[in-house]
Amino acid sequence: MREAPPGSHTIKSHGYKLARRHMHDWLILVLLGVIVLVLNLTHPFYRFVGKDMMTDLKYPLKENTVPVWAVPIYAILLPVIIFTGFYFRRRDVYDLHHAVLGLFFAVLITGVLTDSIKNAVGRPRPDFFWRCFPDGKDVYDALGDVICHGDASVIKEGHKSFPSGHTSWSFAGLSFLSLYLAGKIKCFDRRGHVAKLCIVLVPLLLAALVGVSRVDDYWHHWQDVFAGGLLGIVVSLLVYHQFFPPPYHNDGWGPYAYFSVLEELSLAQQANGENGINVQLMAQALQQQQPDKSPNHAHLGLVEPNVSTLDDLEAGNR
């Protein structure tokens, strides 16, 4: 297994250079975060909702089992804590930096896609009736569309059913964590350790339970949850493979950047070794070309070998 000694690439020794090298990536993350905020403030498309459509939209208006503020905790903060734990074990800043960077990209790209689709589709939530008519008295215009008289912010949120944001964010962050763990513990090393597979599946189970809670709370239809989960998984897979080899690969336990550094060091060492050999061969050749220092050659005016030249060559080798 190709690996540098622990502590070769720490935050102190390589962290600043690595972050500076990826400055544009961090700036893009900031831009994605701003886009997510703007999309949340944007009004969704208010789709036509007729009286005959209310049959599937009269579910009770309930509180979230998983509050919105909890999503970043288990989908972002929890994976970052685990990444940090692996850093303190191996002291590899490349692994920590690329894991955190990839996680943020997976979550924010998923957020932008989810909120964009939400606003464009404007699908009513299963509890839309009680959002639109909190007193239970439904009113419609001449075309049969609803005339809501509920709270404007509640109605606005009622048009953001597809896809599920809780589910997509959960699967984006926790799928990335699952892939990361699979690579780190070498889950697919063909030794049949089912316990490793169970560890890898725990984050996915948590994300799935979040999705189920969205249907149980009547905030989403099952299609919303399915689409959100699929979206989060696909984005996390794409982003993860930008930074890490597949978990089943021999080098799946580390990022591409880490192995690139090892390859560069190996090539540099080989080049230095070849240069040293070449210098030694040149020194030997010069020695062989010099005449033999003996009394028999003194009358011919031949001189001793240039010792300083040989010393310079050997010094260059060192």
Side-chain angles (χ1 to χ4, degrees), residues 61-192:
L61 180 59
K62 298 174 59 178
E63 294 292 331
N64 289 309
T65 300
V66 181
V68 176
W69 58 263
V71 178
I73 293 178
Y74 65 77
I76 299 177
L77 183 59
L78 175 61
V80 170
I81 292 175
I82 294 176
F83 299 158
T84 305
F86 276 100
Y87 169 77
F88 283 115
R89 180 184 177 185
R90 298 187 59 251
R91 300 285 181 177
D92 177 26
V93 70
Y94 288 98
D95 182 81
L96 176 63
H97 178 272
H98 285 61
V100 173
L101 185 63
L103 174 69
F104 275 97
F105 263 116
V107 172
L108 289 177
I109 290 175
T110 299
V112 170
L113 295 176
T114 300
D115 291 339
S116 298
I117 298 173
K118 275 179 178 289
N119 291 339
V121 174
R123 186 182 189 184
R125 296 185 185 273
D127 56 8
F128 180 78
F129 178 89
W130 297 106
R131 292 175 179 272
C132 187
F133 311 118
D135 57 359
K137 299 179 180 179
D138 50 340
V139 182
Y140 303 90
D141 61 15
L143 298 176
D145 194 11
V146 293
I147 302 178
C148 296
H149 50 264
D151 184 83
S153 61
V154 177
I155 296 172
K156 172 186 173 183
E157 191 64 29
H159 283 274
K160 294 185 176 184
S161 186
F162 182 88
S164 169
H166 273 64
T167 310
S168 64
W169 277 63
S170 299
F171 271 98
L174 295 177
S175 293
F176 193 95
L177 174 61
S178 182
L179 291 166
Y180 180 87
L181 290 174
K184 280 291 177 291
I185 65 178
K186 300 179 177 62
C187 179
F188 304 106
D189 57 1
R190 301 181 183 180
R191 296 183 180 180

Side-chain angles (χ1 to χ4, degrees), residues 186-202:
K186 300 179 177 62
C187 179
F188 304 106
D189 57 1
R190 301 181 183 180
R191 296 183 180 180
H193 297 301
V194 181
K196 292 183 177 181
L197 184 62
C198 292
I199 294 174
V200 171
L201 292 178
V202 168

